[in-house]
Amino acid sequence: MTITKNEITAWLKETNESKLDELWHRADKVRHENVGDEVHLRGLVEISNYCVRKCGYCGIRVENRSIQRYRMSADEIISCVNDAKNFGYGTVVMQAGEDFGLTANFIAGVIRRIKAETGLAITLSLGERTEEELVLWREAGADRYLLRFETSDSALYEHIHPSLPNKKSNRFEHLRMLDRIGYEVGTGVMVGIPGQTFDTLANDILLFREFDIDMIGVGPYIPHPETPLWQESDGLSLPTNRNQVPNTELMTYKVVALTRLVCPETNIPSTTALATLNTESGRELGLQRGANIVMPNITPTEYREKYEIYPGKACLSETASQCNFCMTGRIISIGRKVGRGPGSRRKKSVD
Ligand code: SAH
């Protein structure tokens, strides 16, 4: 039975706890029936914090001069990927700012080495790169690409994610291009960005259904003091702010659960941003309300604090090995199993 936009909006506005228990149960049941009890682990390597963009929400935007920039070498990346392989992860995710210092050939070389040396599935999350680059990387062996559309309100999108000169940013077009090239595509949105209304968020959730999506990541928007949106972020969660979606933990669980109902078979991570709002049990609650993926951070500790897209990020001072131990413990503690292998939704391109 499909869920309508009115129903989605009603759930987003629901405050009654016992009513919400119904939503959590439904999402958990749909998750269990469609993707099972295994939780797949995808090792996240944050390979560079250089970025050409001026995104209003993001702490590694080009205009933030207070962070030290880094770019990992191929050997450093491969060493992290070997950790992932040893921990039994089936996939590595290489994420970065939009950094053209990560040249097409450099990334293609790293992809070929990862495939040759570990055979792991490879996900890229490197922003809006050219078609030529994306084709080269796909041919080199990359399997998936993550690019959140952030919001489906085009005016709000341009406000929070200004286009580069002479090139209009259109992430929906980019997602279609990635799909055409043969990537499994992941997308998602932030919950509670200033200016995001319940109506827009309901549209976002319905749009997830339109793409044949491998993964949908949703996390709360967390204001960063070194960004323009910081100024606009006062009072996001005040009940007087009637149309504004609050950037709360509860709202994020609702979006995770509704995303599961809309896309029963997709992979949904319980995100680090969620764990940042509730370090105690955010990961577990995400997994119990629709999610089936976690992305342990395998970035070397010295670089983690420099990849500060938002402040107070969970797991900042941990090593890859500590993150692995912690994540597997959390999965087992809620009666779920640690998944092995790439955890691919569409088997054709990865297995
Ligand atoms: N440069 C890449 C990777 C960006 S980081 C890209 O643009 O796709 C990955 C995600 O982190 C972003 O897509 C955004 O949704 C999220 N993010 C960035 N800043 C954030 C913030 N302040 N609070 C919460 N999530 C944030």
Side-chain angles (χ1 to χ4, degrees), residues 160-196:
I160 63 166
H161 183 97
S163 295
L164 293 174
N166 311 323
K167 194 166 172 279
K168 185 130 187 78
S169 167
N170 183 333
R171 288 205 162 184
F172 290 106
E173 254 175 35
H174 227 85
L175 288 167
R176 279 189 287 271
M177 176 164 81
L178 288 160
D179 185 54
R180 239 185 4 255
I181 296 171
Y183 285 96
E184 290 189 21
V185 177
T187 194
V189 297
M190 282 174 284
V191 176
I193 35 182
Q196 183 184 52

Side-chain angles (χ1 to χ4, degrees), residues 10 24 39 50 61 80 88 101 116 121 147 149 189 209 255 311 317 322 344:
W24 313 145
V39 177
Y50 283 93
R61 64 202 305 278
C80 292
L147 188 76
F149 62 77
V189 297
R209 191 155 53 190
V255 180
S317 55
Q322 285 165 332
S344 170

